[in-house]
Amino acid sequence: MIGEIKIKSIIDLRSDTVTKPSLHMREVMAAAEVGDDVYGEDPTVNLLEEKVAKLFGQEAALFCPSGSLANQLAIRMLVSPGEELITETNSHIVRAELGAAATFSGITTRTWESDRGLLKSEDVLRIAKPNSGPYLVSTAAIAIENTHNFGGGTVQPISEIEKLRRESKRLGISMHLDGARIWNAHIASGVDLADYGKHFDTLSVCLSKGLGAPIGSLMISNKETVAKARQWRKRYGGGMRQIGIIAAAGIYAIDNNLELLALDHMRAKIIAEVIENVSTSLVNSKFIETNIVGVDLSEFDISAKELSEQLSEEGILASALGPKYLRLVTHFDITELDMEKIIEVLSRILKRALVS
Ligand SMILES: *Cc1c(COP(=O)(O)O)cnc(C)c1O
């Protein structure tokens, strides 16, 4: 009997990459003007590149299939083989790009540590060693992640970015922004995208996270650097042809979905408060500024994997990123009805875990 078939719906909080293109977005994609982008002849790609460069107050941008490629092209432009890039110890560039900087570009890395990934310029400057002569590795570039993913969606203070830019300029060290979620930082802080953009030599931004496009990132810089990166993109096999159909999704995402991130942020805050109500050791909701909620289970007997399995049995997916670290990410495929279920299930299961 039809009436008895219960469709089990899954609420996927593993990442904001899981969003699916909406009907409207698909319509815009289907109607996009296209050309051969390796020849520079795709009008929709050209439009997206110009639009994004301008948003960040830079001269040019390069459409890339992934944020990892955009990051890797950028840092390759800033750091020569045998020189180093310095970054925070839990940043995507050193933890989640499979050693690409070393593998492809001969770039070595050193890292500083920080609480929640929060940028403090003095932490960076303490390890920055430019022009180190014939014996020690020279620091050529600094990479900043904003928002900081594994730090729990941390927004980097613009005052610290400014301070670091001033000092690093004096030292002759370049700066790269891993801005996969710079859109979230902009919405949470109110700082203009161009005010973030002006402090960096290169930037990478993702369209495929909270903005909801199915594919796509951009590497952003001055004209000369982007022209050089365009050659390297082709060399890496990232030159694509009639990709106006996906660039159109990116344009649509920026025009229509950017402001919607505020709702993701509000919902992440609500989820954090529900978790905090079970135990303040799990999360500090005060620090939840964007769409990522990191849950610290170190004071509980349960592991992140066990908790994610229990949630999964209730139809909620979350990421166990460490033995005691569970990550929940809000995005616009979540509905109000989903939120009710998330709140009910999370508090019930966490309370049970607390007493057991
Ligand atoms: C997602 C992400 C990237 C890029 O990831 P891809 O999966 O390669 O698109 C880069 N940096 C951060 C901080 C990210 O979260």
Side-chain angles (χ1 to χ4, degrees):
M1 286 237 313
I2 280 282
E4 284 172 357
I5 295 172
K6 213 171 160 198
I7 295 165
K8 202 176 172 196
S9 66
I10 301 285
I11 302 172
D12 196 344
L13 299 176
R14 287 173 303 167
S15 175
D16 47 10
T17 56
V18 301
T19 52
K20 294 182 179 140
S22 63
L23 186 64
H24 265 132
M25 184 181 274
R26 287 167 192 254
E27 282 167 2
V28 169
M29 293 170 78
E33 254 191 88
V34 296
D36 192 317
D37 181 52
V38 171
Y39 294 164
E41 289 173 2
D42 189 304
T44 311
V45 173
N46 294 343
L47 197 67
L48 173 67
E49 290 177 345
E50 278 163 34
K51 181 185 179 76
V52 171
K54 205 162 147 217
L55 275 178
F56 288 91
Q58 295 270 351
E59 287 176 0
L62 179 68
F63 193 37
C64 294
S66 72
S68 297
L69 183 61
N71 271 338
Q72 292 303 323
L73 289 173
I75 62 178
R76 174 159 205 131
M77 297 305 107
L78 303 179
V79 187
S80 299
E83 290 181 339
E84 74 180 0
L85 172 83
I86 57 173
T87 190
E88 202 275 333
T89 193
N90 283 312
S91 63
H92 195 278
I93 284 184
V94 289
R95 290 213 59 211
E97 295 178 15
L98 288 305
T103 307
F104 296 149
S105 310
I107 295 172
T108 72
T109 45
R110 254 180 330 124
T111 58
W112 70 86
E113 276 183 64
S114 64
D115 192 26
R116 299 187 297 115
L118 184 68
L119 176 65
K120 293 201 180 79
S121 54
E122 73 254 27
D123 291 341
V124 186
L125 295 166
R126 200 174 297 125
I127 70 163
K129 304 286 178 226
N131 310 316
S132 291
Y135 182 61
L136 297 169
V137 181
S138 295
T139 309
I142 297 162
I144 303 300
E145 191 170 304
N146 194 13
T147 67
H148 197 295
N149 178 357
F150 296 137
T154 307
V155 178
Q156 307 298 5
I158 189 74
S159 56
E160 287 301 303
I161 295 172
E162 281 165 359
K163 214 189 291 175
L164 184 60
R165 180 59 162 179
R166 244 187 341 264
E167 286 305 307
S168 61
K169 225 175 202 167
R170 207 173 49 75
L171 296 169
I173 300 175
S174 301
M175 274 173 59
H176 169 68
L177 175 71
D178 179 350
R181 293 189 183 80
I182 191 67
W183 318 101
N184 298 81
H186 158 66
I187 293 294
S189 68
V191 173
D192 247 31
L193 294 171
D195 283 331
Y196 284 125
K198 70 182 179 193
H199 296 298
F200 295 92
D201 300 284
T202 56
L203 298 85
S204 71
V205 302
C206 286
L207 305 168
S208 56
K209 302 271 165 89
L211 288 184
I215 313 173
S217 292
L218 291 106
M219 178 268 183
I220 308 166
S221 187
N222 58 45
K223 276 190 184 141
E224 194 191 336
T225 305
V226 167
K228 211 167 126 201
R230 197 175 287 280
Q231 286 185 327
W232 279 99
R233 183 186 66 172
K234 180 74 164 65
R235 194 168 281 127
Y236 285 165
M240 302 172 287
R241 304 295 178 172
Q242 287 75 23
I243 45 169
I245 50 169
I246 52 176
I251 294 171
Y252 178 92
I254 295 167
D255 289 345
N256 294 280
N257 298 347
L258 180 55
E259 300 298 327
L260 301 181
L261 294 175
L263 182 62
D264 296 351
H265 297 177
M266 206 180 77
R267 286 172 166 172
K269 189 80 153 185
I270 291 169
I271 291 172
E273 283 165 358
V274 166
I275 297 170
E276 193 178 38
N277 273 340
V278 178
S279 165
T280 52
S281 74
L282 290 165
V283 68
N284 186 341
S285 67
K286 187 180 88 196
F287 292 140
I288 308 303
E289 303 163 282
T290 60
N291 66 330
I292 300 176
V293 182
V295 183
D296 174 11
L297 295 164
S298 53
E299 308 232 325
F300 280 56
D301 277 340
I302 197 166
S303 72
K305 188 162 171 285
E306 285 161 349
L307 181 58
S308 80
E309 281 164 5
Q310 291 183 14
L311 288 170
S312 161
E313 277 166 26
E314 304 266 355
I316 297 175
L317 305 184
S319 289
L321 291 180
K324 289 283 183 180
Y325 183 75
L326 189 83
R327 189 185 69 174
L328 305 160
V329 186
T330 54
H331 52 77
F332 72 50
D333 282 357
I334 302 296
T335 65
E336 267 313 299
L337 209 63
D338 292 341
M339 277 299 291
E340 283 174 28
K341 181 170 169 185
I342 293 164
I343 289 167
E344 187 274 317
V345 170
L346 265 177
S347 59
R348 176 162 47 83
I349 288 192
L350 282 169
K351 274 176 195 155
R352 193 175 66 194
L354 186 65
V355 293
S356 65

